[in-house]
């Protein structure tokens, strides 16, 4: 396949999203020293696999914490946005099980780490939310609806949120999907390229003409089964909502689309089955406009296709993240094909029917 750099718009989005390069992992002893000095915390640091930053689980013998160090090319203002989103939810919706940020002994939200080249990395300490990730469970329809309802409640709580950096540009923002068609050429399988072309056609026809009038707000941006913690033994089911690293101002409809993209194809005979339950739950908390609901299936297909395309591109160029990337996107093309075996009109009709049947 063509190994030349992607076209200008795609490259810009990769750069601004912090996905175009790798970096030297921060030394554990440096993190230990910063935690002791600024948080009075000590214990065992366990490095966790993530998409782009350095993340650790800190075991203190009492409470566990999540320690995150932003990548060198992520703007400080974007890290501040992520923290501000969590602070807003903590204040406006303290009943929601969203992740909390711990303050330093000086009362700050983070510790800046100045690099020799002038860039700044940001260290933050968050609470470690216990629970199994939704991706490792087999939820029933009621539990899927509860997961959807939780996202709706988060989106409701974020309606009034504003931040100077919330207009950040992110490659995962589906507002830019139609500008990334050139990524298709980096996909080695011809059948996958044909699938992607069809998804771009659907998106161009259904979503692009509407981009300017869609309802917008700051959204979670990555409410995937890996960022939702659950406990099937509890009535609420969802015990934690984590990872606000992709928070941004975008079309509201794109937030549940992310979740649906991760549910497509898991029930091969009825590839949209779990999506219907999730959307029914979401709408209990945050109803979707009648004019926007028909766009949701296409947006979900676009998100799933985008992840498959980006994974191929990044796995070759950022080898130290390859295992993490492939684990989270291993079945994407299979699931795109399964989901596209159902006509979009039929999916929309089922969504509308589910809405009518929901008390």
């Amino acid at each position: 396949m063509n190994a030349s750099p992607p076209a200008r718009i795609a490259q810009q989005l990769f750069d601004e999203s912090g996905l175009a390069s790798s970096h030297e992992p921060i030394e554990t002893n440096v993190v230990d020293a910063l935690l002791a000095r600024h948080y009075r915390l000590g214990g065992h640091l366990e490095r966790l696999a993530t998409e782009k930053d350095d993340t650790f689980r800190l075991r203190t013998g009492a409470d566990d914490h999540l320690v995150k160090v932003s990548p060198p090319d992520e703007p400080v203002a974007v890290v501040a946005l992520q923290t501000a989103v969590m602070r807003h939810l903590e204040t406006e919706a303290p009943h929601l099980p969203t992740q909390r940020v711990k303050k330093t002994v000086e009362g700050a939200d983070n510790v800046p780490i100045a690099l020799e080249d002038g860039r700044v990395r940001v260290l933050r300490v968050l609470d470690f939310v216990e629970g199994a990730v939704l991706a490792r469970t087999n939820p029933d329809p009621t539990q899927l609806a509860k997961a959807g309802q939780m996202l709706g409640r988060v989106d409701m709580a974020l309606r009034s949120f504003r931040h100077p950096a919330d207009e950040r540009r992110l490659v995962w923002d589906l507002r830019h999907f139609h500008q990334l068609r050139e990524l298709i050429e980096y996909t080695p399988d011809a059948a996958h390229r044909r699938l992607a072309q069809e998804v771009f056609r659907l998106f161009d026809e259904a979503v692009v003409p509407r981009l300017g009038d869609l309802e917008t707000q700051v959204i979670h941006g990555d409410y995937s089964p890996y960022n939702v913690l659950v406990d099937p033994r509890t009535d609420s089911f969802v015990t934690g909502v984590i990872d606000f690293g992709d928070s941004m101002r975008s079309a509201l409809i794109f937030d549940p689309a992310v979740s649906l993209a991760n549910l497509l194809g898991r029930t091969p005979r009825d590839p949209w089955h779990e999506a219907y339950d999730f959307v029914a739950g979401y709408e209990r908390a945050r109803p979707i406009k009648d004019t926007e609901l028909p766009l949701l299936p296409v947006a979900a297909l676009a998100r799933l296709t985008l992840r498959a395309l980006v994974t191929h591109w990044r796995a070759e160029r950022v080898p130290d993240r390859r295992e993490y990337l492939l684990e989270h996107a291993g079945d994407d093309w299979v699931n795109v094909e399964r989901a596209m075996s159902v006509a979009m009109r039929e999916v929309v009709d089922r969504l509308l029917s589910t809405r009518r049947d929901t008390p």
Side-chain angles (χ1 to χ4, degrees):
M1 297 306 299
N2 190 340
S4 61
R8 186 167 177 265
I9 182 65
Q11 186 65 59
Q12 287 177 343
L13 286 169
F14 277 117
D15 289 340
E16 292 178 36
S17 304
L19 300 179
S21 62
S22 185
H23 63 266
E24 194 71 26
I26 191 168
E27 294 291 342
T28 304
N29 64 323
V30 173
V31 178
D32 275 327
L34 292 171
L35 291 173
R37 178 179 176 183
H38 295 284
Y39 291 92
R40 302 292 188 264
L41 288 174
H44 174 68
L45 282 174
E46 173 189 351
R47 191 180 293 270
L48 304 177
T50 56
E51 184 180 43
K52 58 182 180 179
D53 57 15
D54 286 302
T55 301
F56 305 86
R57 179 175 184 170
L58 174 65
R59 301 178 186 271
T60 66
D63 297 327
D64 286 3
H65 302 279
L66 195 71
V67 180
K68 298 180 74 69
V69 181
S70 65
D73 47 4
E74 184 160 65
V76 172
V78 169
V79 180
L81 163 66
Q82 299 161 10
T83 300
V85 167
M86 289 183 279
R87 290 287 186 212
H88 175 86
L89 290 170
E90 183 178 1
T91 301
E92 298 296 319
H95 55 288
L96 297 182
T98 54
Q99 210 158 25
R100 306 285 196 253
V101 182
K102 181 179 177 63
K103 286 189 176 294
T104 67
V105 293
E106 300 90 358
D109 285 328
N110 59 66
V111 177
I113 306 171
L115 304 181
E116 292 182 357
D117 61 6
R119 293 181 297 174
V120 176
R121 303 187 70 177
V122 178
L123 181 148
R124 291 174 297 166
V125 176
L126 297 79
D127 58 346
F128 191 91
V129 184
E130 294 288 351
V133 293
L134 180 60
R136 307 293 188 202
T137 65
N138 186 28
D140 61 32
T142 298
Q143 292 169 335
L144 279 168
K146 288 181 178 179
Q149 186 174 17
M150 181 60 70
L151 177 60
R153 294 168 71 188
V154 169
D155 282 342
M156 282 292 290
L158 288 174
R159 285 187 305 173
S160 62
F161 178 77
R162 300 287 188 278
H163 190 274
D166 64 22
E167 294 281 2
R168 62 183 296 204
R169 296 205 326 155
L170 199 63
V171 75
W172 299 117
D173 186 352
L174 290 177
R175 290 182 299 175
H176 308 300
F177 177 71
H178 61 295
Q179 299 173 302
L180 297 172
R181 189 186 295 268
E182 63 268 17
L183 292 180
I184 294 174
E185 66 184 84
Y186 301 92
T187 301
D189 189 286
H192 296 164
R193 294 197 298 273
R194 288 191 293 271
L195 284 173
Q197 291 282 9
E198 179 61 13
V199 173
F200 274 99
R201 184 190 67 78
L202 290 171
F203 193 86
D204 287 345
E205 291 180 358
V207 181
V208 172
R210 299 285 312 282
L211 284 175
D213 57 57
L214 296 176
E215 181 178 4
T216 62
Q217 66 165 71
V218 171
I219 60 177
H220 181 284
D222 192 17
Y223 191 85
S224 80
Y226 288 93
N227 291 331
V228 182
L229 301 175
V230 300
D231 184 349
R233 300 167 298 181
T234 64
D235 290 337
S236 61
F237 183 56
V238 178
T239 59
V241 179
I242 64 174
D243 196 350
F244 288 82
D246 287 350
S247 292
M248 61 194 160
R249 182 170 300 278
S250 188
L252 176 65
I253 194 71
F254 295 156
D255 219 14
V258 173
S259 306
L260 266 56
N262 287 277
L263 296 174
L264 296 182
R266 299 206 317 173
T267 50
R269 292 185 179 180
D270 188 1
W272 291 85
H273 176 75
E274 294 187 330
Y276 304 133
D277 295 319
F278 185 94
V279 174
Y282 180 87
E283 289 208 280
R284 290 173 194 162
R286 187 75 162 94
I288 299 171
K289 290 183 176 180
D290 293 343
T291 56
E292 296 188 4
L293 186 66
L295 308 182
L296 182 54
V298 178
L301 274 174
R303 172 66 184 217
L304 185 57
T305 302
L306 178 61
R307 187 172 68 183
L309 293 171
V310 170
T311 294
H312 281 291
W313 190 86
R314 287 199 73 213
E316 293 182 4
R317 291 158 180 80
V318 192
D320 56 313
R321 309 278 172 169
R322 180 181 179 86
E323 184 176 348
Y324 174 87
L325 294 167
L326 296 180
E327 177 188 0
H328 284 68
D331 297 324
D332 284 353
W333 289 119
V334 172
N335 291 333
V336 169
E337 185 173 19
R338 288 172 177 170
M340 291 183 66
S341 69
V342 184
M344 291 297 98
R345 182 68 257 173
E346 180 180 338
V347 177
V348 173
D349 288 345
R350 286 277 297 275
L351 287 172
L352 292 170
S353 175
T354 301
R355 171 188 278 180
R356 289 192 294 268
D357 294 341
T358 301

